[in-house]
Amino acid sequence: MRLVSAKDDLAGTLAVAARAASAKSTIQILSHVLLRAEEGRCELAATDMELSLRVPLSATVEQPGAVVVPRLAGDIVRTMADGPITLEHRANEGVVSLSGGGSSFTLNCLQASDFPELPPDEGTGLVIPADVLVEAIDRVARAASRDETRPVLTGVLVRLGPDGMTMVATDSYRLAVRQTPLESPPSDVREAIVPARALSEVSRLLGVARADSCEVVLGESQALFRIGEMRLTSRVIEGQFPDHRQLVPDAFEHDVAFDRAELLGVLTRIGVLAQRSTPVRLAFEPGAVTISASSDQVGEGRESLPVAFSGEGLEMGFNVEFLRAGVESVGGDEVRLGLISPLRPGLLRGAGDEYRYLLMPIRLNA
């Protein structure tokens, strides 16, 4: 196999594909990237057996073939001088050569015949505008759990139906829901629990490719995302996802409006003092809220904001990182916080925005 590609094209495509390669697997080939060159087409692919990615490479194929190269190849190409890079591999040999700009490298490689079979590119899905999909992913996926002992919560429930696209994520401490209308919604309902990591990669790839849309295919065992000529395939997570409709309260005792930018500023300043085990306190009284945090090691900080609050005073505690993430995710200039009692969850939402962020409080010590 022999091909020639521009340095930036080869380095960039290797870097994109390598994100699907495994960084932890004891199976060596899963930490490598498959390069397959055919007449008129060249493609890079990687998989960790849960996430697979296929990316086209712009190159002149002088001799077709296939080889599995280490992830390090992308770092090496990035350091080479600008200009064309020649990549060559002789059949059944254990090395691949890179040359260009006066530099030459020989890297150990693996045989393409040993690379796992990639998921098929099959099925017809729903084409969703890129900006709509990215917005939903970025606002919801952050609420997914990172605790692998509860696999279902590490995913995002993606539902496509007549009412549009719904994404839901929760780590049991917070829950994010985004309902998005679609111009051409499907007549039937399709849904799957997609790993949050896979959706985050889809969001990133849409930015890299500057694509206008993404075709989403939700199957029983896998989810496929077509972005131009790129293909990202992910396993779907089996299990029962929590019913968000039963978790979000229908009504609240208080509905407090904040200027979103002003609240974010206060949370950022006060959050410096709020350690992981220290909640940020929101003390509501008629006409105002005082936001505070204290640390035995550092000190105490507090700041007051005028708000339209009436009735008996109310004090609640929240994880400041989770609260700030929710405020950041709300669209528009105003954020509303629905409250019931100090031990019931609070609900963040925007004006006319179909986004909901439910956050469990932290019990405060007297």
Side-chain angles (χ1 to χ4, degrees), residues 61-100:
V61 179
E62 298 181 353
Q63 184 177 347
V67 65
V68 180
V69 299
R71 297 171 64 178
L72 181 68
D75 296 330
I76 290 176
V77 173
R78 193 179 301 111
T79 65
M80 297 173 73
D82 292 338
I85 304 295
T86 300
L87 186 150
E88 187 172 7
H89 171 252
R90 295 180 181 178
N92 300 319
E93 288 192 358
V95 295
V96 63
S97 64
L98 293 165
S99 59

PDB file of all heavy atoms in Angstrom, residues 61-100:
ATOM      1  N   VAL A  61      -4.135   7.625  -3.880  1.00  0.00           N
ATOM      2  CA  VAL A  61      -3.767   6.225  -3.653  1.00  0.00           C
ATOM      3  C   VAL A  61      -2.950   5.725  -4.836  1.00  0.00           C
ATOM      4  O   VAL A  61      -3.457   5.618  -5.957  1.00  0.00           O
ATOM      5  CB  VAL A  61      -5.035   5.357  -3.459  1.00  0.00           C
ATOM      6  CG1 VAL A  61      -4.641   3.893  -3.250  1.00  0.00           C
ATOM      7  CG2 VAL A  61      -5.856   5.864  -2.286  1.00  0.00           C
ATOM      8  N   GLU A  62      -1.680   5.456  -4.580  1.00  0.00           N
ATOM      9  CA  GLU A  62      -0.802   4.952  -5.632  1.00  0.00           C
ATOM     10  C   GLU A  62      -0.805   3.432  -5.680  1.00  0.00           C
ATOM     11  O   GLU A  62      -0.578   2.838  -6.735  1.00  0.00           O
ATOM     12  CB  GLU A  62       0.620   5.481  -5.425  1.00  0.00           C
ATOM     13  CG  GLU A  62       0.701   7.019  -5.503  1.00  0.00           C
ATOM     14  CD  GLU A  62       2.106   7.543  -5.329  1.00  0.00           C
ATOM     15  OE1 GLU A  62       3.010   6.734  -5.015  1.00  0.00           O
ATOM     16  OE2 GLU A  62       2.303   8.763  -5.490  1.00  0.00           O
ATOM     17  N   GLN A  63      -1.063   2.828  -4.538  1.00  0.00           N
ATOM     18  CA  GLN A  63      -1.180   1.369  -4.464  1.00  0.00           C
ATOM     19  C   GLN A  63      -2.168   1.027  -3.358  1.00  0.00           C
ATOM     20  O   GLN A  63      -1.956   1.405  -2.212  1.00  0.00           O
ATOM     21  CB  GLN A  63       0.187   0.733  -4.192  1.00  0.00           C
ATOM     22  CG  GLN A  63       0.153  -0.790  -4.205  1.00  0.00           C
ATOM     23  CD  GLN A  63       1.534  -1.403  -3.995  1.00  0.00           C
ATOM     24  OE1 GLN A  63       2.543  -0.719  -4.078  1.00  0.00           O
ATOM     25  NE2 GLN A  63       1.567  -2.694  -3.722  1.00  0.00           N
ATOM     26  N   PRO A  64      -3.276   0.367  -3.669  1.00  0.00           N
ATOM     27  CA  PRO A  64      -4.282   0.070  -2.644  1.00  0.00           C
ATOM     28  C   PRO A  64      -3.779  -0.940  -1.621  1.00  0.00           C
ATOM     29  O   PRO A  64      -2.833  -1.693  -1.874  1.00  0.00           O
ATOM     30  CB  PRO A  64      -5.459  -0.478  -3.443  1.00  0.00           C
ATOM     31  CG  PRO A  64      -4.846  -1.020  -4.689  1.00  0.00           C
ATOM     32  CD  PRO A  64      -3.675  -0.146  -4.990  1.00  0.00           C
ATOM     33  N   GLY A  65      -4.440  -0.950  -0.484  1.00  0.00           N
ATOM     34  CA  GLY A  65      -4.086  -1.888   0.576  1.00  0.00           C
ATOM     35  C   GLY A  65      -4.652  -1.424   1.896  1.00  0.00           C
ATOM     36  O   GLY A  65      -5.431  -0.464   1.964  1.00  0.00           O
ATOM     37  N   ALA A  66      -4.262  -2.090   2.966  1.00  0.00           N
ATOM     38  CA  ALA A  66      -4.756  -1.745   4.303  1.00  0.00           C
ATOM     39  C   ALA A  66      -3.695  -2.070   5.340  1.00  0.00           C
ATOM     40  O   ALA A  66      -2.922  -3.025   5.177  1.00  0.00           O
ATOM     41  CB  ALA A  66      -6.043  -2.494   4.607  1.00  0.00           C
ATOM     42  N   VAL A  67      -3.670  -1.290   6.415  1.00  0.00           N
ATOM     43  CA  VAL A  67      -2.720  -1.500   7.497  1.00  0.00           C
ATOM     44  C   VAL A  67      -3.291  -0.864   8.764  1.00  0.00           C
ATOM     45  O   VAL A  67      -4.133   0.035   8.700  1.00  0.00           O
ATOM     46  CB  VAL A  67      -1.349  -0.877   7.146  1.00  0.00           C
ATOM     47  CG1 VAL A  67      -1.455   0.646   7.041  1.00  0.00           C
ATOM     48  CG2 VAL A  67      -0.288  -1.276   8.159  1.00  0.00           C
ATOM     49  N   VAL A  68      -2.861  -1.361   9.916  1.00  0.00           N
ATOM     50  CA  VAL A  68      -3.294  -0.812  11.206  1.00  0.00           C
ATOM     51  C   VAL A  68      -2.122  -0.079  11.834  1.00  0.00           C
ATOM     52  O   VAL A  68      -1.094  -0.691  12.135  1.00  0.00           O
ATOM     53  CB  VAL A  68      -3.806  -1.928  12.139  1.00  0.00           C
ATOM     54  CG1 VAL A  68      -4.241  -1.334  13.473  1.00  0.00           C
ATOM     55  CG2 VAL A  68      -4.956  -2.681  11.484  1.00  0.00           C
ATOM     56  N   VAL A  69      -2.277   1.236  12.016  1.00  0.00           N
ATOM     57  CA  VAL A  69      -1.169   2.067  12.505  1.00  0.00           C
ATOM     58  C   VAL A  69      -1.427   2.504  13.940  1.00  0.00           C
ATOM     59  O   VAL A  69      -2.574   2.605  14.379  1.00  0.00           O
ATOM     60  CB  VAL A  69      -0.983   3.308  11.606  1.00  0.00           C
ATOM     61  CG1 VAL A  69      -0.661   2.888  10.184  1.00  0.00           C
ATOM     62  CG2 VAL A  69      -2.215   4.200  11.629  1.00  0.00           C
ATOM     63  N   PRO A  70      -0.363   2.779  14.691  1.00  0.00           N
ATOM     64  CA  PRO A  70      -0.555   3.237  16.081  1.00  0.00           C
ATOM     65  C   PRO A  70      -1.102   4.663  16.121  1.00  0.00           C
ATOM     66  O   PRO A  70      -0.918   5.442  15.186  1.00  0.00           O
ATOM     67  CB  PRO A  70       0.856   3.162  16.667  1.00  0.00           C
ATOM     68  CG  PRO A  70       1.769   3.283  15.485  1.00  0.00           C
ATOM     69  CD  PRO A  70       1.062   2.618  14.350  1.00  0.00           C
ATOM     70  N   ARG A  71      -1.784   4.996  17.219  1.00  0.00           N
ATOM     71  CA  ARG A  71      -2.311   6.352  17.393  1.00  0.00           C
ATOM     72  C   ARG A  71      -1.197   7.388  17.327  1.00  0.00           C
ATOM     73  O   ARG A  71      -1.419   8.539  16.948  1.00  0.00           O
ATOM     74  CB  ARG A  71      -3.036   6.462  18.732  1.00  0.00           C
ATOM     75  CG  ARG A  71      -4.240   5.559  18.854  1.00  0.00           C
ATOM     76  CD  ARG A  71      -4.801   5.537  20.271  1.00  0.00           C
ATOM     77  NE  ARG A  71      -5.317   6.826  20.687  1.00  0.00           N
ATOM     78  CZ  ARG A  71      -5.889   7.047  21.855  1.00  0.00           C
ATOM     79  NH1 ARG A  71      -6.000   6.056  22.726  1.00  0.00           N
ATOM     80  NH2 ARG A  71      -6.356   8.228  22.172  1.00  0.00           N
ATOM     81  N   LEU A  72       0.007   6.984  17.681  1.00  0.00           N
ATOM     82  CA  LEU A  72       1.165   7.875  17.679  1.00  0.00           C
ATOM     83  C   LEU A  72       1.432   8.456  16.298  1.00  0.00           C
ATOM     84  O   LEU A  72       2.052   9.524  16.177  1.00  0.00           O
ATOM     85  CB  LEU A  72       2.387   7.097  18.174  1.00  0.00           C
ATOM     86  CG  LEU A  72       3.720   7.837  18.278  1.00  0.00           C
ATOM     87  CD1 LEU A  72       3.630   8.880  19.382  1.00  0.00           C
ATOM     88  CD2 LEU A  72       4.847   6.851  18.576  1.00  0.00           C
ATOM     89  N   ALA A  73       0.963   7.774  15.254  1.00  0.00           N
ATOM     90  CA  ALA A  73       1.222   8.235  13.893  1.00  0.00           C
ATOM     91  C   ALA A  73       0.704   9.657  13.682  1.00  0.00           C
ATOM     92  O   ALA A  73       1.348  10.476  13.015  1.00  0.00           O
ATOM     93  CB  ALA A  73       0.585   7.282  12.889  1.00  0.00           C
ATOM     94  N   GLY A  74      -0.463   9.970  14.240  1.00  0.00           N
ATOM     95  CA  GLY A  74      -1.012  11.312  14.083  1.00  0.00           C
ATOM     96  C   GLY A  74      -0.135  12.370  14.720  1.00  0.00           C
ATOM     97  O   GLY A  74       0.060  13.460  14.165  1.00  0.00           O
ATOM     98  N   ASP A  75       0.435  12.072  15.897  1.00  0.00           N
ATOM     99  CA  ASP A  75       1.316  13.024  16.568  1.00  0.00           C
ATOM    100  C   ASP A  75       2.583  13.252  15.761  1.00  0.00           C
ATOM    101  O   ASP A  75       3.092  14.377  15.687  1.00  0.00           O
ATOM    102  CB  ASP A  75       1.677  12.505  17.963  1.00  0.00           C
ATOM    103  CG  ASP A  75       0.468  12.394  18.877  1.00  0.00           C
ATOM    104  OD1 ASP A  75      -0.475  13.190  18.689  1.00  0.00           O
ATOM    105  OD2 ASP A  75       0.456  11.505  19.744  1.00  0.00           O
ATOM    106  N   ILE A  76       3.090  12.188  15.151  1.00  0.00           N
ATOM    107  CA  ILE A  76       4.305  12.308  14.352  1.00  0.00           C
ATOM    108  C   ILE A  76       4.045  13.158  13.112  1.00  0.00           C
ATOM    109  O   ILE A  76       4.810  14.071  12.786  1.00  0.00           O
ATOM    110  CB  ILE A  76       4.828  10.913  13.958  1.00  0.00           C
ATOM    111  CG1 ILE A  76       5.371  10.204  15.204  1.00  0.00           C
ATOM    112  CG2 ILE A  76       5.901  11.012  12.880  1.00  0.00           C
ATOM    113  CD1 ILE A  76       5.819   8.785  14.963  1.00  0.00           C
ATOM    114  N   VAL A  77       2.962  12.873  12.406  1.00  0.00           N
ATOM    115  CA  VAL A  77       2.657  13.636  11.198  1.00  0.00           C
ATOM    116  C   VAL A  77       2.483  15.112  11.530  1.00  0.00           C
ATOM    117  O   VAL A  77       2.914  15.993  10.774  1.00  0.00           O
ATOM    118  CB  VAL A  77       1.381  13.075  10.522  1.00  0.00           C
ATOM    119  CG1 VAL A  77       0.956  13.982   9.366  1.00  0.00           C
ATOM    120  CG2 VAL A  77       1.623  11.668  10.022  1.00  0.00           C
ATOM    121  N   ARG A  78       1.889  15.409  12.662  1.00  0.00           N
ATOM    122  CA  ARG A  78       1.659  16.798  13.048  1.00  0.00           C
ATOM    123  C   ARG A  78       2.964  17.573  13.198  1.00  0.00           C
ATOM    124  O   ARG A  78       3.007  18.795  12.978  1.00  0.00           O
ATOM    125  CB  ARG A  78       0.870  16.842  14.351  1.00  0.00           C
ATOM    126  CG  ARG A  78       0.316  18.219  14.685  1.00  0.00           C
ATOM    127  CD  ARG A  78      -0.492  18.219  15.976  1.00  0.00           C
ATOM    128  NE  ARG A  78      -1.611  17.305  15.889  1.00  0.00           N
ATOM    129  CZ  ARG A  78      -1.707  16.167  16.571  1.00  0.00           C
ATOM    130  NH1 ARG A  78      -0.718  15.808  17.386  1.00  0.00           N
ATOM    131  NH2 ARG A  78      -2.759  15.387  16.431  1.00  0.00           N
ATOM    132  N   THR A  79       4.053  16.891  13.572  1.00  0.00           N
ATOM    133  CA  THR A  79       5.338  17.564  13.780  1.00  0.00           C
ATOM    134  C   THR A  79       6.153  17.701  12.507  1.00  0.00           C
ATOM    135  O   THR A  79       7.168  18.409  12.494  1.00  0.00           O
ATOM    136  CB  THR A  79       6.184  16.795  14.808  1.00  0.00           C
ATOM    137  OG1 THR A  79       6.534  15.504  14.275  1.00  0.00           O
ATOM    138  CG2 THR A  79       5.442  16.617  16.115  1.00  0.00           C
ATOM    139  N   MET A  80       5.723  17.039  11.439  1.00  0.00           N
ATOM    140  CA  MET A  80       6.492  17.068  10.192  1.00  0.00           C
ATOM    141  C   MET A  80       6.272  18.387   9.458  1.00  0.00           C
ATOM    142  O   MET A  80       5.321  19.126   9.717  1.00  0.00           O
ATOM    143  CB  MET A  80       6.098  15.880   9.310  1.00  0.00           C
ATOM    144  CG  MET A  80       6.428  14.528   9.955  1.00  0.00           C
ATOM    145  SD  MET A  80       5.799  13.085   9.045  1.00  0.00           S
ATOM    146  CE  MET A  80       6.928  13.091   7.640  1.00  0.00           C
ATOM    147  N   ALA A  81       7.179  18.682   8.526  1.00  0.00           N
ATOM    148  CA  ALA A  81       7.089  19.925   7.765  1.00  0.00           C
ATOM    149  C   ALA A  81       5.855  19.910   6.863  1.00  0.00           C
ATOM    150  O   ALA A  81       5.365  18.844   6.468  1.00  0.00           O
ATOM    151  CB  ALA A  81       8.358  20.100   6.928  1.00  0.00           C
ATOM    152  N   ASP A  82       5.365  21.122   6.558  1.00  0.00           N
ATOM    153  CA  ASP A  82       4.213  21.223   5.670  1.00  0.00           C
ATOM    154  C   ASP A  82       4.540  20.643   4.298  1.00  0.00           C
ATOM    155  O   ASP A  82       5.690  20.710   3.833  1.00  0.00           O
ATOM    156  CB  ASP A  82       3.787  22.683   5.523  1.00  0.00           C
ATOM    157  CG  ASP A  82       3.218  23.246   6.810  1.00  0.00           C
ATOM    158  OD1 ASP A  82       2.776  22.445   7.657  1.00  0.00           O
ATOM    159  OD2 ASP A  82       3.228  24.485   6.970  1.00  0.00           O
ATOM    160  N   GLY A  83       3.494  20.106   3.671  1.00  0.00           N
ATOM    161  CA  GLY A  83       3.697  19.523   2.351  1.00  0.00           C
ATOM    162  C   GLY A  83       3.132  18.121   2.292  1.00  0.00           C
ATOM    163  O   GLY A  83       2.517  17.634   3.247  1.00  0.00           O
ATOM    164  N   PRO A  84       3.337  17.441   1.171  1.00  0.00           N
ATOM    165  CA  PRO A  84       2.805  16.083   1.021  1.00  0.00           C
ATOM    166  C   PRO A  84       3.548  15.072   1.898  1.00  0.00           C
ATOM    167  O   PRO A  84       4.761  15.153   2.065  1.00  0.00           O
ATOM    168  CB  PRO A  84       3.003  15.788  -0.468  1.00  0.00           C
ATOM    169  CG  PRO A  84       4.131  16.675  -0.884  1.00  0.00           C
ATOM    170  CD  PRO A  84       4.005  17.913  -0.058  1.00  0.00           C
ATOM    171  N   ILE A  85       2.781  14.134   2.460  1.00  0.00           N
ATOM    172  CA  ILE A  85       3.341  13.043   3.267  1.00  0.00           C
ATOM    173  C   ILE A  85       3.057  11.727   2.539  1.00  0.00           C
ATOM    174  O   ILE A  85       1.932  11.473   2.128  1.00  0.00           O
ATOM    175  CB  ILE A  85       2.715  12.996   4.671  1.00  0.00           C
ATOM    176  CG1 ILE A  85       2.874  14.342   5.383  1.00  0.00           C
ATOM    177  CG2 ILE A  85       3.328  11.866   5.497  1.00  0.00           C
ATOM    178  CD1 ILE A  85       4.295  14.730   5.680  1.00  0.00           C
ATOM    179  N   THR A  86       4.080  10.919   2.410  1.00  0.00           N
ATOM    180  CA  THR A  86       3.925   9.612   1.786  1.00  0.00           C
ATOM    181  C   THR A  86       3.872   8.534   2.860  1.00  0.00           C
ATOM    182  O   THR A  86       4.754   8.490   3.739  1.00  0.00           O
ATOM    183  CB  THR A  86       5.086   9.309   0.823  1.00  0.00           C
ATOM    184  OG1 THR A  86       5.118  10.296  -0.212  1.00  0.00           O
ATOM    185  CG2 THR A  86       4.923   7.932   0.180  1.00  0.00           C
ATOM    186  N   LEU A  87       2.841   7.718   2.808  1.00  0.00           N
ATOM    187  CA  LEU A  87       2.695   6.601   3.744  1.00  0.00           C
ATOM    188  C   LEU A  87       2.769   5.310   2.938  1.00  0.00           C
ATOM    189  O   LEU A  87       2.048   5.158   1.942  1.00  0.00           O
ATOM    190  CB  LEU A  87       1.375   6.708   4.499  1.00  0.00           C
ATOM    191  CG  LEU A  87       1.125   5.698   5.633  1.00  0.00           C
ATOM    192  CD1 LEU A  87       0.248   6.314   6.719  1.00  0.00           C
ATOM    193  CD2 LEU A  87       0.476   4.418   5.105  1.00  0.00           C
ATOM    194  N   GLU A  88       3.615   4.393   3.391  1.00  0.00           N
ATOM    195  CA  GLU A  88       3.821   3.167   2.617  1.00  0.00           C
ATOM    196  C   GLU A  88       3.908   1.955   3.539  1.00  0.00           C
ATOM    197  O   GLU A  88       4.498   2.031   4.622  1.00  0.00           O
ATOM    198  CB  GLU A  88       5.096   3.286   1.772  1.00  0.00           C
ATOM    199  CG  GLU A  88       5.318   2.145   0.801  1.00  0.00           C
ATOM    200  CD  GLU A  88       6.479   2.401  -0.146  1.00  0.00           C
ATOM    201  OE1 GLU A  88       7.197   3.409   0.050  1.00  0.00           O
ATOM    202  OE2 GLU A  88       6.666   1.588  -1.076  1.00  0.00           O
ATOM    203  N   HIS A  89       3.327   0.866   3.088  1.00  0.00           N
ATOM    204  CA  HIS A  89       3.380  -0.390   3.824  1.00  0.00           C
ATOM    205  C   HIS A  89       3.452  -1.536   2.830  1.00  0.00           C
ATOM    206  O   HIS A  89       2.674  -1.584   1.872  1.00  0.00           O
ATOM    207  CB  HIS A  89       2.135  -0.553   4.706  1.00  0.00           C
ATOM    208  CG  HIS A  89       2.024  -1.912   5.323  1.00  0.00           C
ATOM    209  ND1 HIS A  89       1.093  -2.850   4.925  1.00  0.00           N
ATOM    210  CD2 HIS A  89       2.756  -2.515   6.307  1.00  0.00           C
ATOM    211  CE1 HIS A  89       1.232  -3.948   5.636  1.00  0.00           C
ATOM    212  NE2 HIS A  89       2.227  -3.769   6.483  1.00  0.00           N
ATOM    213  N   ARG A  90       4.383  -2.425   3.071  1.00  0.00           N
ATOM    214  CA  ARG A  90       4.504  -3.607   2.221  1.00  0.00           C
ATOM    215  C   ARG A  90       3.779  -4.773   2.872  1.00  0.00           C
ATOM    216  O   ARG A  90       3.898  -4.987   4.082  1.00  0.00           O
ATOM    217  CB  ARG A  90       5.975  -3.950   1.999  1.00  0.00           C
ATOM    218  CG  ARG A  90       6.727  -2.869   1.211  1.00  0.00           C
ATOM    219  CD  ARG A  90       8.175  -3.235   1.000  1.00  0.00           C
ATOM    220  NE  ARG A  90       8.887  -2.194   0.259  1.00  0.00           N
ATOM    221  CZ  ARG A  90      10.177  -2.230  -0.033  1.00  0.00           C
ATOM    222  NH1 ARG A  90      10.909  -3.280   0.359  1.00  0.00           N
ATOM    223  NH2 ARG A  90      10.735  -1.240  -0.716  1.00  0.00           N
ATOM    224  N   ALA A  91       3.022  -5.493   2.042  1.00  0.00           N
ATOM    225  CA  ALA A  91       2.184  -6.586   2.540  1.00  0.00           C
ATOM    226  C   ALA A  91       2.990  -7.554   3.396  1.00  0.00           C
ATOM    227  O   ALA A  91       4.120  -7.911   3.063  1.00  0.00           O
ATOM    228  CB  ALA A  91       1.544  -7.327   1.372  1.00  0.00           C
ATOM    229  N   ASN A  92       2.371  -7.937   4.532  1.00  0.00           N
ATOM    230  CA  ASN A  92       2.928  -8.926   5.463  1.00  0.00           C
ATOM    231  C   ASN A  92       4.156  -8.437   6.222  1.00  0.00           C
ATOM    232  O   ASN A  92       4.788  -9.211   6.952  1.00  0.00           O
ATOM    233  CB  ASN A  92       3.264 -10.237   4.733  1.00  0.00           C
ATOM    234  CG  ASN A  92       2.044 -10.857   4.093  1.00  0.00           C
ATOM    235  OD1 ASN A  92       0.963 -10.875   4.672  1.00  0.00           O
ATOM    236  ND2 ASN A  92       2.212 -11.364   2.867  1.00  0.00           N
ATOM    237  N   GLU A  93       4.524  -7.167   6.082  1.00  0.00           N
ATOM    238  CA  GLU A  93       5.628  -6.622   6.870  1.00  0.00           C
ATOM    239  C   GLU A  93       5.056  -5.924   8.104  1.00  0.00           C
ATOM    240  O   GLU A  93       3.931  -5.423   8.089  1.00  0.00           O
ATOM    241  CB  GLU A  93       6.463  -5.640   6.048  1.00  0.00           C
ATOM    242  CG  GLU A  93       7.305  -6.329   4.973  1.00  0.00           C
ATOM    243  CD  GLU A  93       8.320  -5.377   4.376  1.00  0.00           C
ATOM    244  OE1 GLU A  93       8.341  -4.185   4.764  1.00  0.00           O
ATOM    245  OE2 GLU A  93       9.108  -5.836   3.530  1.00  0.00           O
ATOM    246  N   GLY A  94       5.824  -5.856   9.165  1.00  0.00           N
ATOM    247  CA  GLY A  94       5.352  -5.312  10.437  1.00  0.00           C
ATOM    248  C   GLY A  94       5.682  -3.864  10.657  1.00  0.00           C
ATOM    249  O   GLY A  94       5.675  -3.396  11.803  1.00  0.00           O
ATOM    250  N   VAL A  95       5.982  -3.123   9.574  1.00  0.00           N
ATOM    251  CA  VAL A  95       6.305  -1.709   9.716  1.00  0.00           C
ATOM    252  C   VAL A  95       5.587  -0.904   8.642  1.00  0.00           C
ATOM    253  O   VAL A  95       5.250  -1.416   7.575  1.00  0.00           O
ATOM    254  CB  VAL A  95       7.823  -1.444   9.621  1.00  0.00           C
ATOM    255  CG1 VAL A  95       8.557  -2.097  10.793  1.00  0.00           C
ATOM    256  CG2 VAL A  95       8.382  -1.934   8.295  1.00  0.00           C
ATOM    257  N   VAL A  96       5.356   0.374   8.963  1.00  0.00           N
ATOM    258  CA  VAL A  96       4.820   1.320   8.004  1.00  0.00           C
ATOM    259  C   VAL A  96       5.750   2.524   7.998  1.00  0.00           C
ATOM    260  O   VAL A  96       6.285   2.912   9.046  1.00  0.00           O
ATOM    261  CB  VAL A  96       3.376   1.725   8.376  1.00  0.00           C
ATOM    262  CG1 VAL A  96       3.336   2.434   9.725  1.00  0.00           C
ATOM    263  CG2 VAL A  96       2.765   2.599   7.293  1.00  0.00           C
ATOM    264  N   SER A  97       5.989   3.098   6.818  1.00  0.00           N
ATOM    265  CA  SER A  97       6.915   4.227   6.729  1.00  0.00           C
ATOM    266  C   SER A  97       6.164   5.514   6.420  1.00  0.00           C
ATOM    267  O   SER A  97       5.183   5.527   5.668  1.00  0.00           O
ATOM    268  CB  SER A  97       7.967   3.977   5.648  1.00  0.00           C
ATOM    269  OG  SER A  97       7.369   3.892   4.370  1.00  0.00           O
ATOM    270  N   LEU A  98       6.622   6.604   7.032  1.00  0.00           N
ATOM    271  CA  LEU A  98       6.106   7.944   6.800  1.00  0.00           C
ATOM    272  C   LEU A  98       7.256   8.822   6.350  1.00  0.00           C
ATOM    273  O   LEU A  98       8.313   8.849   7.004  1.00  0.00           O
ATOM    274  CB  LEU A  98       5.496   8.522   8.078  1.00  0.00           C
ATOM    275  CG  LEU A  98       4.234   7.868   8.630  1.00  0.00           C
ATOM    276  CD1 LEU A  98       3.989   8.320  10.055  1.00  0.00           C
ATOM    277  CD2 LEU A  98       3.045   8.208   7.742  1.00  0.00           C
ATOM    278  N   SER A  99       7.098   9.543   5.264  1.00  0.00           N
ATOM    279  CA  SER A  99       8.183  10.395   4.789  1.00  0.00           C
ATOM    280  C   SER A  99       7.627  11.667   4.178  1.00  0.00           C
ATOM    281  O   SER A  99       6.529  11.685   3.608  1.00  0.00           O
ATOM    282  CB  SER A  99       9.037   9.648   3.762  1.00  0.00           C
ATOM    283  OG  SER A  99       8.258   9.241   2.652  1.00  0.00           O
ATOM    284  N   GLY A 100       8.388  12.739   4.313  1.00  0.00           N
ATOM    285  CA  GLY A 100       7.986  14.020   3.747  1.00  0.00           C
ATOM    286  C   GLY A 100       8.729  15.159   4.402  1.00  0.00           C
ATOM    287  O   GLY A 100       9.084  15.078   5.591  1.00  0.00           O
TER     288      GLY A 100
END
